[in-house]
Amino acid sequence: MGQFVEVNYRNFDDAVSIADERGDRIRMSDAERVHSYIRENGVDVDGVMRMTTLHPDAAVTILSKGLMEGIYVSWPDREKALLYVGSDAPIEPLEEYAGGAKYDLVISYTFDDRDKAVVERLVKELGEAGVRVYLIVDGDRPNDPIWSVRFREALFHSHYFSPYLSSSYLRGAGTIREMFDIAREAVHHRSTEYFYPILPLVDDPAALMESTFRSRSAVSSQYDDHEFDWLRTHVFPVDLGWGAERISRFISSLSRNYRGFVNYGYLRELRESFKFVEFIELFTKRVVRIHLGYPSNARYYLFSLFSRGCLFEGSFEPGEKAIEVDDVDRVVDEIETFFRDEVIRPFEEMKLAREADDSGEWLCMGQLCKFRGKPVVKMVGPNPVLGIHEAVPIYICPRCGNTMVRKRAR
């Protein structure tokens, strides 16, 4: 008969949004596509019908591709979704997640002796550095019918994803598919977060984009050139030649920044790929644009660094004001001084904004949070040097600390 397993609703809703954009969502009104999906995937129609009749008030959704592929029933008003599993065998429950990220990093690898040894040493170093890691083993697929859902929920509630792209991993039938699904997910709600969201562990970073993802296997042939470009613009390869200690220092530093603690250690670990830097003074803030690259790459990675955050911007050529870097330690010291001299008065705690009254609703725009309620207000300024002549309010989510809080009319 099968069974229904409850999944994380926010992760499900995100997957549905991506499926809508890509045309991978099958609506029950499209009888031809529904029958085609059921036939091609060997779905037990009678079992599905019996189970869905138990939930007559639920919406039925079919996702035809990606890590969340399957048949779901959901109640958007209750923020609840269930996945249909055709087996009656007991299934280990999925983890429970709160609003924000539970992990700093998700590592995916194959259950190969060499892969396992490399990953175990790295995880040990990361744990000692205080990095929260979720491990997903490709070899667990056959034994867990909701393996891919378990994987995506961890990804959705983490900061970074690091697949160990060994030869064993790349031979896996599902790995190309998961890389594309993760790239789509990254584009959808991680385009404004700290540094690049996908940090694959590789033996040759310079050759990664030239070889790995240009080979069109049976699985990857279903994806177009635009999706391959996502991988090039949202992936920053990490050289395994660094060793576990250095990789741990790099990821640990990124994680601390992500949590709101300014730390420039990760820049020093990028010394081989640090190519150009631009120091920019804007009206109300200072920005450093950093260009990274590997020797054989035709394009550079670019991200903008602020005094309290960072925004990666895909891959571009250096601008006219870019300065070639010959001494990384000196440049990092200059970056620290550049931001330390930024004359902005520290935040001061204030009362909740008068605007947050009953005439409207405040909503956190963070994909992992979506908190609804009154924000905390902090003030910055005044600062005549930067042209700020009066205090400016910043609205902050009380749950996750995001400053992307918006007021919506009722």
Side-chain angles (χ1 to χ4, degrees):
M1 180 176 179
Q3 58 186 303
F4 275 112
V5 177
E6 185 167 358
V7 300
N8 181 270
Y9 184 80
R10 287 174 180 162
N11 175 61
F12 164 75
D13 188 50
D14 182 68
V16 171
S17 297
I18 294 174
D20 281 337
E21 293 174 4
R22 304 299 303 168
D24 297 338
R25 180 183 184 181
I26 302 176
R27 300 181 184 276
M28 299 308 291
S29 57
D30 190 341
E32 184 176 345
R33 289 190 69 192
V34 171
H35 293 156
S36 176
Y37 177 84
I38 289 174
R39 181 176 61 254
E40 293 174 4
N41 292 276
V43 177
D44 178 7
V45 179
D46 292 336
V48 173
M49 293 305 294
R50 284 195 299 270
M51 292 297 286
T52 53
T53 55
L54 298 176
H55 305 286
D57 59 333
V60 181
T61 301
I62 298 177
L63 303 183
S64 62
K65 292 180 182 178
L67 295 173
M68 293 292 286
E69 178 183 344
I71 301 174
Y72 296 83
V73 294
S74 63
W75 298 264
D77 58 327
R78 292 157 52 187
E79 294 196 344
K80 182 176 181 179
L82 307 175
L83 167 67
Y84 173 73
V85 179
S87 169
D88 291 323
I91 297 176
E92 181 181 348
L94 292 163
E95 287 199 39
E96 293 186 9
Y97 294 94
K102 184 174 182 178
Y103 301 104
D104 296 305
L105 177 72
V106 171
I107 297 180
S108 172
Y109 71 105
T110 58
F111 199 74
D112 176 276
D113 287 342
R114 177 180 179 274
D115 293 4
K116 182 181 178 183
V118 171
V119 171
E120 284 183 347
R121 183 182 176 190
L122 176 58
V123 170
K124 180 177 181 295
E125 293 285 348
L126 289 168
E128 292 176 353
V131 178
R132 301 166 299 181
V133 179
Y134 182 94
L135 278 177
I136 190 80
V137 186
D138 187 67
D140 288 344
R141 294 172 189 262
N143 306 316
D144 186 355
I146 58 173
W147 179 91
S148 60
V149 176
R150 205 181 299 280
F151 184 10
R152 196 185 193 280
E153 288 194 355
L155 285 168
F156 188 76
H157 293 88
S158 67
H159 296 155
Y160 302 103
F161 170 52
S162 285
Y164 176 22
L165 298 186
S166 66
S167 57
S168 299
Y169 187 97
L170 293 171
R171 285 195 300 268
T175 51
I176 294 295
R177 182 188 68 177
E178 76 191 28
M179 283 297 293
F180 278 108
D181 193 52
I182 294 159
R184 289 187 297 201
E185 181 260 354
V187 169
H188 194 253
H189 74 78
R190 291 189 177 181
S191 59
T192 58
E193 295 185 355
Y194 205 96
F195 206 70
Y196 294 77
I198 306 176
L199 305 171
L201 305 170
V202 296
D203 290 315
D204 186 358
L208 175 65
M209 302 308 168
E210 300 300 321
S211 58
T212 303
F213 299 112
R214 286 190 177 179
S215 60
R216 297 304 178 94
S217 65
V219 176
S220 63
S221 62
Q222 63 184 293
Y223 300 103
D224 57 30
D225 290 335
H226 181 58
E227 287 168 308
F228 271 82
D229 195 53
W230 288 350
L231 288 171
R232 287 191 289 272
T233 57
H234 287 74
V235 170
F236 186 85
V238 176
D239 190 346
L240 280 169
W242 286 4
E245 291 185 10
R246 182 176 174 185
I247 294 173
S248 177
R249 290 196 303 269
F250 173 68
I251 295 176
S252 175
S253 176
L254 285 177
S255 298
R256 287 199 292 274
N257 281 287
Y258 208 115
R259 297 180 200 175
F261 302 98
V262 177
N263 183 284
Y264 297 107
Y266 71 98
L267 293 177
R268 300 184 191 278
E269 305 302 338
L270 292 170
R271 61 183 67 254
E272 293 90 349
S273 55
F274 218 119
K275 303 301 179 185
F276 299 92
V277 64
E278 298 177 58
F279 292 89
I280 303 170
E281 292 202 45
L282 300 177
F283 184 63
T284 60
K285 61 188 174 185
R286 292 182 172 184
V287 182
V288 175
R289 304 187 85 196
I290 299 171
H291 302 257
L292 305 169
Y294 286 99
S296 65
N297 280 11
R299 305 164 83 184
Y300 291 95
Y301 300 89
L302 167 67
F303 68 96
S304 295
L305 184 64
F306 305 92
S307 58
R308 295 179 180 85
C310 168
L311 173 67
F312 83 88
E313 302 182 41
S315 56
F316 300 91
E317 292 298 318
E320 294 181 359
K321 297 181 179 180
I323 303 170
E324 189 168 2
V325 175
D326 57 3
D327 185 337
V328 172
D329 287 324
R330 178 178 58 79
V331 168
V332 174
D333 289 340
E334 290 177 358
I335 291 173
E336 292 189 78
T337 302
F338 186 64
F339 287 131
R340 186 168 57 244
D341 293 342
E342 186 178 46
V343 188
I344 293 182
R345 201 176 80 181
F347 288 145
E348 295 179 353
E349 293 293 343
M350 300 291 288
K351 296 181 180 179
L352 293 177
R354 288 193 298 271
E355 292 90 342
D357 54 24
D358 294 334
S359 63
E361 179 183 55
W362 289 86
L363 172 66
C364 176
M365 305 306 291
Q367 186 68 27
L368 297 178
C369 184
K370 297 298 185 186
F371 174 80
R372 296 176 184 272
K374 294 183 178 181
V376 172
V377 179
K378 291 184 178 181
M379 304 297 291
V380 60
N383 188 338
V385 175
L386 296 179
I388 304 175
H389 299 292
E390 60 182 30
V392 179
I394 294 180
Y395 305 101
I396 302 171
C397 174
R399 174 189 287 169
C400 70
N402 197 329
T403 56
M404 295 292 291
V405 182
R406 299 289 181 265
K407 187 179 181 183
R408 292 185 173 183
R410 293 190 185 280

